[in-house]
Amino acid sequence: MKWHRTRRLGGALLALTAASGLLLTGCSGSSGGGKSATDSRYDGSRGDGSAPLPAPEGPRNSASEGEQDSRGIAPGPDYLSTFALDVDTASYGYARRTLADGRLPDPSTVRPEEFVNSFRQDYERPDGDGFTVTVDGARTEEKDWSLLRVGLATRAAEDSARRAPAALTFVIDISGSMAEPGRLDLAKKSLGVMTERLRDDDSVAVVTFSDEAETVLPMTRLGGNRGRIHDAVEGLSPTDSTNLAAGVGTGYQTAVEGLRRGATNRVVLVSDALANTGDTDADAILERIAEHRREHGITLFGVGVGSDYGDALMERLADRGDGHTVYVSDEEEGRKVFCDELPRNIDLTARDAKAQVAFDPGTVAEFALVGYDNRRVADDDFRDDRVDGGEVGPGHTVTALYAVRTRPGADGHLATATVRWLDPDTRSPHEESGDLETGDLEESVWSADRGLAVTATAAYFADALRSAGLRGSGLPGAPGLGELAERADDLAARTEDEEVRGLARAIRTADRLD
């Protein structure tokens, strides 16, 4: 297999252009974000058949070169990789919806870490707040190349009765595009079920937006008022354009007015994120979200819906609001998100969480982090707690996958992974680490345990989707989509796992469409 360098564009210029146009067009595209201090590019032939690009010469500081594609290989002597934690899963959900509609997803909407993090992992969990760190890996069919997995887990989600009360402001898109089946109707059903699951001491507010925004229900305790909340939700109907800026602004204003001390205050944005009217300055909206997060601790949970979906904008909003995004395409997923995931995300166990992996130069020749393109953090900022990280709640797992080439005959220590986070209440810093030795590598990713094999399959699938039209690209040992589907089928049969069966179906659909 030949490794090639993917196209490098002016990341800073692209991010600036996207910021000014996202709200106007509602188009999905690569989102801007953090900086990588490690990654360069593969060496080999470009997908357009032109001459090979030169190999990278020494380490590059991409903080001055703009955001880079995650498939770059980090050259020596830089053996550190640092990123902010992210528990988003929307990219995988939206890709499955797009494939079900008979289309391949736009490569710019495919984020491998969100594919990987969509699957349950059985990592050991800590007793209290913070994380456990699991590091494992397996060899691929490409000589000297392995896939290394870093798994982070928070404590199990507590019984709903033991968590802090919640103050949730639902900001619901009722624009004309939300009339499509599987958008507003799905949101209404899901919210109706969730209203019955929340506690009496929880509070809910409802804000709607189309060409303008309106507070339909101010912050209201559920105890004795469930009927009012049901009426507010049932009365929602689609109207005109999508003024996302008005919706976000009014939503946060309503959340501030109903702020509850000692509670978890969160804005829940339900939208297809296809903004087409009102303030089109994305950065102004993002700064407004960040301001409320800093001043009042209000976090954002983004729920994407619809066959056409402003994926890039929703992700940027959630990142700036210290939250995360999911995508919902049917009633079953809606119940899962609103009745299982949202209650789990009411609480926080870690703020500004970052991970740093240190590879041993004696055993590792080169490596690449798969995904997390807009969550990269400069290595020197790992212990700078002023630098934003990710917010993680109970019951979560976070997985990062690396492609690693070991030196021929190497034996010994491979890597140490460290996670750093701030206590959600005291903001005191904590760290936890885990190690991996060459002797601990499984012989094959396909015969490895369920979690590692699923992680590899999901990552290979994402890489294939985002490599559309780039011949010869891919992770080490990457099979074609047809073979990958067979591998996924075998894995589903071995584990009797419905999640993996769904992954296998999605891979087969992509193979057929490709």
Side-chain angles (χ1 to χ4, degrees):
M1 173 180 291
K2 290 186 178 180
W3 298 88
H4 74 278
R5 302 205 300 173
T6 52
R7 292 166 293 177
R8 176 175 307 192
L9 299 176
L13 179 60
L14 287 176
L16 181 62
T17 304
S20 63
L22 270 171
L23 289 180
L24 181 64
T25 64
C27 294
S28 298
S30 299
S31 55
K35 298 179 178 66
S36 165
T38 58
D39 286 351
S40 65
R41 286 293 176 267
Y42 291 163
D43 174 32
S45 301
R46 288 185 296 198
D48 57 9
S50 56
L53 292 166
E57 297 178 1
R60 300 176 184 267
N61 181 357
S62 65
S64 63
E65 297 184 35
E67 184 180 316
Q68 299 189 3
D69 187 290
S70 68
R71 288 169 290 178
I73 295 296
D78 189 347
Y79 284 85
L80 290 176
S81 171
T82 309
F83 60 95
L85 268 54
D86 193 345
V87 294
D88 290 354
T89 61
S91 178
Y92 177 64
Y94 185 46
R96 289 184 63 187
R97 169 65 184 265
T98 304
L99 290 166
D101 288 344
R103 297 177 289 126
L104 288 171
D106 185 324
S108 68
T109 68
V110 177
R111 292 182 291 278
E113 71 277 14
E114 297 186 23
F115 278 54
V116 165
N117 282 313
S118 294
F119 295 91
R120 173 183 52 82
Q121 299 287 352
D122 296 324
Y123 304 134
E124 181 181 350
R125 294 186 180 276
D127 294 329
D129 285 350
F131 298 87
T132 56
V133 181
T134 301
V135 190
D136 58 10
R139 302 185 187 279
T140 74
E141 295 178 0
E142 185 75 12
K143 182 176 173 57
D144 294 329
W145 283 92
S146 299
L147 295 183
L148 183 149
R149 180 179 64 153
V150 176
L152 310 172
T154 58
R155 61 173 166 80
E158 292 181 339
D159 183 275
S160 148
R162 298 177 60 188
R163 64 165 170 79
L168 306 176
T169 301
F170 288 92
V171 180
I172 304 173
D173 186 345
I174 60 168
S175 62
S177 60
M178 292 291 286
E180 176 192 284
R183 298 194 187 196
L184 185 57
D185 60 332
L186 177 59
K188 290 168 63 174
K189 289 179 182 176
S190 302
L191 288 170
V193 174
M194 188 209 64
T195 298
E196 295 303 316
R197 301 282 182 90
L198 290 173
R199 298 187 331 216
D200 285 350
D201 62 342
D202 292 330
S203 301
V204 167
V206 178
V207 172
T208 61
F209 68 95
S210 54
D211 54 340
E212 296 180 347
E214 176 186 4
T215 301
V216 175
L217 182 76
M219 195 63 72
T220 303
R221 295 285 180 106
L222 269 81
N225 291 307
R226 280 183 167 80
R228 288 182 60 197
I229 297 169
H230 280 300
D231 289 343
V233 172
E234 285 302 315
L236 303 179
S237 59
T239 55
D240 301 314
S241 303
T242 308
N243 189 338
L244 186 61
V248 169
T250 303
Y252 272 87
Q253 180 182 341
T254 301
V256 170
E257 291 171 355
L259 194 74
R260 291 180 57 185
R261 301 298 174 188
T264 300
N265 295 272
R266 178 154 294 201
V267 168
V268 182
L269 175 62
V270 184
S271 176
D272 57 17
L274 298 176
N276 55 22
T277 191
D279 190 347
T280 60
D281 184 356
D283 287 334
I285 299 174
L286 294 168
E287 180 52 39
R288 183 180 301 174
I289 290 175
E291 178 182 343
H292 287 300
R293 172 184 59 80
R294 288 192 300 267
E295 290 189 16
H296 306 290
I298 300 172
T299 54
L300 180 68
F301 183 54
V303 182
V305 295
S307 57
D308 292 318
Y309 167 53
D311 164 83
L313 178 55
M314 184 70 90
E315 189 203 17
R316 290 186 70 198
L317 293 173
D319 284 349
R320 189 63 65 92
D322 275 353
H324 77 282
T325 62
V326 298
Y327 178 84
V328 171
S329 62
D330 56 39
E331 192 168 341
E332 180 181 351
E333 289 179 355
R335 287 175 180 269
K336 178 182 176 183
V337 165
F338 285 98
C339 300
D340 298 332
E341 291 190 23
L342 180 55
R344 191 169 70 213
N345 284 283
I346 286 175
D347 231 350
L348 278 181
T349 60
R351 286 190 181 275
D352 289 325
K354 311 182 195 86
Q356 184 170 84
V357 182
F359 291 91
D360 193 320
T363 56
V364 174
E366 50 187 340
F367 64 90
L369 173 60
V370 180
Y372 291 94
D373 294 343
N374 61 355
R375 303 295 285 168
R376 306 297 175 94
V377 174
D379 297 333
D380 291 343
D381 288 338
F382 177 58
R383 291 186 172 87
D384 185 344
D385 296 326
R386 297 168 298 177
V387 175
D388 191 37
E391 274 55 45
V392 185
H396 274 299
T397 61
V398 181
T399 299
L401 194 69
Y402 287 86
V404 178
R405 184 170 69 84
T406 52
R407 300 187 184 281
D411 185 30
H413 179 252
L414 265 180
T416 297
T418 303
V419 58
R420 181 181 177 88
W421 72 94
L422 303 182
D423 182 276
D425 298 320
T426 66
R427 300 194 72 84
S428 58
H430 302 271
E431 291 186 7
E432 192 68 43
S433 296
D435 295 278
L436 184 68
E437 304 287 315
T438 56
D440 295 327
L441 290 171
E442 299 282 346
E443 285 304 311
S444 169
V445 294
W446 307 118
S447 59
D449 69 32
R450 177 238 178 234
L452 181 53
V454 171
T455 296
T457 303
Y460 280 137
F461 183 36
D463 193 68
L465 291 176
R466 76 198 303 230
S467 301
L470 296 177
R471 296 187 300 276
S473 65
L475 293 172
L481 283 174
E483 181 186 343
L484 187 61
E486 292 178 2
R487 296 282 192 182
D489 281 333
D490 291 344
L491 184 58
R494 169 159 67 96
T495 60
E496 298 183 345
D497 192 322
E498 284 302 319
E499 289 183 340
V500 183
R501 286 193 177 93
L503 175 60
R505 286 193 294 269
I507 297 171
R508 286 205 180 281
T509 300
D511 184 37
R512 193 164 56 247
L513 293 172
D514 188 52

